[in-house]
C-alpha cells in the first residue's frame, strides 16, 4: 500500500522528500508516517495552493540539508574538526565530524554513542584550566564565543597533541547554555616550532650574555698587568 511504499522510499532514499496525499483521513496513520520520516501527510481534498506551499517547503528543506551535507564534507576533508558538546558533566559529544579519527584516533561513532566523553581526552594537567575557561565564558550572558588557550589532548594511542579550540555558546530560550559548538585544530607542529623558536631565542640570549661577559674580561685584561694585577 501507499504507506509501505512511502516508508521504503524514506529508508532507501533519504534525500527524497516524501509527501503523502491520501483519501484516508486517519490521524494515527499520518503521525506514524511522519515519525518514520515522511515530510508531510495531506488528506483529500487538498487545496492546490496548500499543496504547492508544502512542495516548496520540502524543496527548501532538502536544499538546506544538502548544503549542510556539503559543508560537512568540506570539514571532513580539512584539518578542522567540528564538535557539538552538550553542557553536561564530561562534555558528551552530540555531533562530531568524521575527521575526528585523524585527530585523536577515536571514531565519531564512539563519541556520539557516549563511549568516550570529550573530557576523557583532555590532558589531566590542562583539564582544570579548560574547565575554568568554560566556566568564566558562561558567566557573561552577552558572550557568544571564546577561544581557549592552547591545550593538550591524549590520543587513543597515547600520543600528546596541542589543540586550538574556538567555542561558540548555544543558549536556550531562558538564556541557559545548552550546548557548546566548537572548531578544533591540531597545532602540534606549530607548537613544536614555537618551542624551538623559544629555545633558540634562549640560546641566543645566553650566547649574547656570554659575549658581553667575555668582552668585559678582555677589557680588563687589556688594561691590567697579568702578573701583578696592577693597572
Amino acid at each position: 500500500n501507499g504507506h509501505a511504499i512511502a516508508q521504503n522510499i524514506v529508508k532507501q532514499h533519504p534525500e527524497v522528500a516524501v509527501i503523502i496525499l491520501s483519501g484516508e483521513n486517519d490521524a494515527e496513520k499520518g503521525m506514524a508516517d511522519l515519525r518514520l520520516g515522511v515530510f508531510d501527510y495531506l488528506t483529500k481534498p487538498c487545496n492546490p495552493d496548500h499543496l504547492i506551499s508544502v512542495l516548496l517547503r520540502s524543496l527548501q528543506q532538502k536544499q538546506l540539508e544538502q548544503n549542510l551535507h556539503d559543508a560537512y564534507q568540506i570539514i571532513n576533508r580539512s584539518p578542522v574538526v567540528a564538535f557539538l558538546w552538550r553542557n553536561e558533566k564530561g562534555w558528551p559529544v552530540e555531533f562530531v565530524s568524521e575527521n575526528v579519527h585523524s585527530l585523536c584516533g577515536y571514531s565519531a561513532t564512539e563519541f556520539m554513542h557516549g563511549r568516550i566523553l570529550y573530557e576523557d581526552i583532555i590532558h589531566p594537567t590542562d583539564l582544570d584550566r579548560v574547565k575554568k575557561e568554560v566556566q568564566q565564558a558562561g558567566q557573561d550572558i552577552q558572550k557568544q564565543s571564546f577561544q581557549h588557550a592552547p591545550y593538550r589532548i591524549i590520543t587513543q594511542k597515547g600520543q600528546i597533541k596541542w589543540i586550538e579550540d574556538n567555542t561558540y555558546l548555544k543558549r536556550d530560550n531562558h538564556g541557559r547554555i545548552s550546548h557548546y559548538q566548537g572548531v578544533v585544530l591540531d597545532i602540534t607542529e606549530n607548537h613544536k616550532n614555537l618551542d624551538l623558536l623559544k629555545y633558540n631565542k634562549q640560546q641566543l640570549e645566553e650566547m649574547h650574555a656570554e659575549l658581553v661577559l667575555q668582552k668585559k674580561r678582555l677589557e680588563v685584561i687589556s688594561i691590567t698587568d697579568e702578573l701583578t694585577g696592577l693597572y
Side-chain angles (χ1 to χ4, degrees):
N1 59 43
H3 297 283
I5 292 172
Q7 290 167 13
N8 275 302
I9 293 172
V10 169
K11 290 177 182 177
Q12 295 179 39
H13 300 280
E15 74 281 1
V16 175
V18 178
I19 300 169
I20 293 180
L21 181 60
S22 175
E24 300 177 354
N25 192 3
D26 190 331
E28 189 175 333
K29 280 187 177 180
M31 289 303 299
D33 288 326
L34 292 172
R35 282 194 294 269
L36 289 170
V38 168
F39 182 79
D40 211 337
Y41 182 90
L42 308 177
T43 57
K44 298 176 183 178
C46 179
N47 183 294
D49 290 337
H50 179 57
L51 177 58
I52 290 171
S53 173
V54 172
L55 288 168
L56 290 174
R57 187 157 47 86
S58 72
L59 290 171
Q60 289 171 351
Q61 178 167 317
K62 287 300 174 182
Q63 184 61 56
L64 288 173
E65 290 175 2
Q66 185 61 47
N67 292 344
L68 187 61
H69 177 267
D70 293 344
Y72 282 133
Q73 289 303 312
I74 292 171
I75 290 173
N76 284 329
R77 291 193 295 268
S78 77
V80 176
V81 180
F83 275 96
L84 180 64
W85 304 281
R86 291 197 300 277
N87 184 20
E88 298 172 11
K89 185 179 180 181
W91 301 315
V93 176
E94 193 163 300
F95 172 82
V96 62
S97 52
E98 293 291 337
N99 59 347
V100 69
H101 184 267
S102 63
L103 175 72
C104 61
Y106 297 101
S107 69
T109 301
E110 288 177 292
F111 277 108
M112 291 189 287
H113 286 187
R115 291 199 282 270
I116 183 166
L117 303 174
Y118 190 73
E119 180 181 299
D120 297 337
I121 69 170
I122 299 177
H123 196 288
T125 306
D126 297 338
L127 183 56
D128 285 342
R129 172 175 62 80
V130 173
K131 286 182 176 180
K132 188 175 181 181
E133 290 170 346
V134 172
Q135 184 180 14
Q136 289 174 341
Q139 290 171 350
D140 185 352
I141 193 67
Q142 301 298 326
K143 207 171 190 68
Q144 296 182 339
S145 65
F146 67 99
Q147 183 174 2
H148 284 283
Y151 60 86
R152 288 165 292 179
I153 64 168
I154 302 175
T155 70
Q156 187 183 39
K157 294 183 178 180
Q159 182 184 3
I160 295 176
K161 290 185 176 182
W162 282 94
I163 296 299
E164 183 179 278
D165 180 344
N166 291 279
T167 298
Y168 301 84
L169 310 178
K170 296 188 71 176
R171 300 180 185 272
D172 59 21
N173 294 332
H174 302 287
R176 295 187 293 262
I177 297 172
S178 61
H179 293 79
Y180 300 100
Q181 189 171 9
V183 285
V184 171
L185 179 65
D186 180 1
I187 58 167
T188 304
E189 289 304 317
N190 291 346
H191 208 276
K192 286 179 180 178
N193 292 336
L194 185 61
D195 286 343
L196 183 59
L197 285 172
K198 287 180 180 178
Y199 175 76
N200 289 339
K201 183 180 178 183
Q202 182 182 352
Q203 292 292 101
L204 286 171
E205 288 174 351
E206 291 176 359
M207 289 173 62
H208 178 70
E210 181 64 25
L211 286 171
V212 170
L213 184 61
Q214 290 291 349
K215 183 180 178 182
K216 287 181 179 179
R217 288 174 181 166
L218 286 172
E219 288 175 352
V220 171
I221 290 172
S222 68
I223 58 175
T224 304
D225 180 74
E226 184 179 356
L227 180 63
T228 63
L230 297 174
Y231 181 73

